[in-house]
Every structure is written in structure tokens, then in C-alpha cells.
Amino acid sequence: MKENTPSTTALLVAIIIIILGGDRQGRKICPSELINVQTELIRCTKLIPCFSLFTLMFQCTVMTKWIRFICNLYSPGLLNGVGKRKAYIETAVRNELSIPGSGGSRHAVEQVLVVASGYDTLALRLAEEFPHVLFYEVDHPATMAIKRRAVQFYQMSDEGSIDFRRQSISNLRLISADLTK
């Protein structure tokens, strides 16, 4: 990764989640909340010009099938693989967060760390749901700077139907770090 350049891989993974929201097969793999918040966060990054047109394109079944066909020629199973990985990780984290603590602790898990988080929305979505847990995301400074601005804009936005938009998420820490050093 170049020093002052945000991750193209992070953007690609986010776009794949948005594409999965455009067809029935993808919506079976990924929870709708993941698709909706991912779409909104990427809109807030302003990394994709004409984002409204971009998302309309993926709501068209014919276009999504065509994109799926092209992606499968390039890398068979890529779209579903990314979606299934995201869904599996979310299920695993939610399962761990629901385990009661032992002794005097109410909860067994007190912190969640997401390394190389890119534009992933897991910690953002779970931080509001689990206020007793500290969520840390670590990524490259250039990528994290864009995500930090997008999260701030996302929390102030009136668009969409996400409940926690206007609330400050005090248990989410976005940390910039060059993981190559």
C-alpha cells in the first residue's frame, strides 16, 4: 500500500457487499443491516462519484446478474465468498458478545479488535448494540482518515433509517497505524 493512498482492497470489499445487496442470492448471504450500513458509509466517504447512480445500477437485477457473471469469470466465487466471510465473522462476534461473564462480570467480552478494518461496518453497527463493549478498529492512516470522516458524517446524516445516526458512539475507537512497520 502506498503511504498516503487509501486501500483499494477495502473499497473493493465494500463494493462487493453493495453488489450483494442487489440480488436475491446476495441478500440471502448478507444481513440487510450490513448491506444498508455499508452502502451508507461508502456514500459518506465520497470515494465513488455519482454514488446514487452507482447504487441504482446494483438494484437492477439484470445489471447485478451481469456483474456477477463478469466477477465469476475473473474470480469464481469471489462475491459469495466475501459475503459469507462477512456473515460468518458477524455471527461469531455476536455469539461471543452474548456469552455471560463469570464471577462479578456481566459479560465475558469487554473488547473487540478489528485489524485492517478498511471500510467494514461491523464495529460501527455493534458498538451501539453493545454499549458495555469497547470496539477498536485499526487500519492504515490514509484509509482510516477517510473512514473517520465518513463515520462522523454518517452519524450526522438525516438520510436512511438507522436508529443510531445522531448519537455519539463513545465505545468505538478508530486507530490509525501503518501495519507494515
Side-chain angles (χ1 to χ4, degrees):
M1 175 181 276
K2 295 179 183 170
E3 192 157 325
N4 295 319
T5 306
S7 170
T8 53
T9 303
L11 184 58
L12 176 63
V13 170
I15 289 170
I16 287 172
I17 298 302
I18 295 167
I19 291 170
L20 288 170
D23 72 357
R24 196 173 337 161
Q25 185 179 356
R27 288 187 301 271
K28 285 180 183 176
I29 295 169
C30 292
S32 61
E33 183 188 22
L34 166 60
I35 294 165
N36 295 341
V37 176
Q38 185 70 80
T39 302
E40 187 66 11
L41 186 72
I42 293 303
R43 182 188 70 77
C44 292
T45 66
K46 301 182 181 189
L47 289 172
I48 300 174
C50 303
F51 187 74
S52 296
L53 180 60
F54 173 83
T55 54
L56 279 175
M57 221 170 48
F58 295 123
Q59 292 172 357
C60 171
T61 305
V62 173
M63 182 61 82
T64 304
K65 285 183 180 181
W66 183 81
I67 290 168
R68 203 175 257 290
F69 173 76
I70 297 298
C71 286
N72 282 329
L73 285 176
Y74 171 70
S75 181
L78 175 68
L79 295 178
N80 288 350
V82 168
K84 287 177 180 179
R85 189 188 91 219
K86 291 279 190 187
Y88 174 82
I89 291 169
E90 179 163 344
T91 299
V93 172
R94 284 181 179 281
N95 287 343
E96 290 300 316
L97 290 171
S98 66
I99 297 172
S102 59
S105 176
R106 282 186 44 212
H107 304 282
V109 176
E110 295 177 1
Q111 300 177 2
V112 173
L113 172 65
V114 183
V115 178
S117 58
Y119 303 116
D120 183 74
T121 63
L122 181 65
L124 174 65
R125 291 180 292 115
L126 295 182
E128 185 66 19
E129 190 175 336
F130 297 94
H132 61 279
V133 177
L134 277 174
F135 291 87
Y136 296 92
E137 289 193 12
V138 181
D139 207 333
H140 188 272
T143 302
M144 192 53 76
I146 290 171
K147 185 171 188 176
R148 189 174 283 115
R149 284 193 307 270
V151 167
Q152 289 170 348
F153 182 75
Y154 177 81
Q155 289 177 314
M156 294 184 303
S157 175
D158 285 332
E159 297 176 25
S161 61
I162 309 301
D163 294 333
F164 56 79
R165 293 201 170 261
R166 294 194 159 279
Q167 299 175 21
S168 173
I169 302 174
S170 60
N171 58 329
L172 175 63
R173 308 287 190 275
L174 303 176
I175 301 166
S176 299
D178 187 347
L179 301 172
T180 63
K181 294 182 181 178

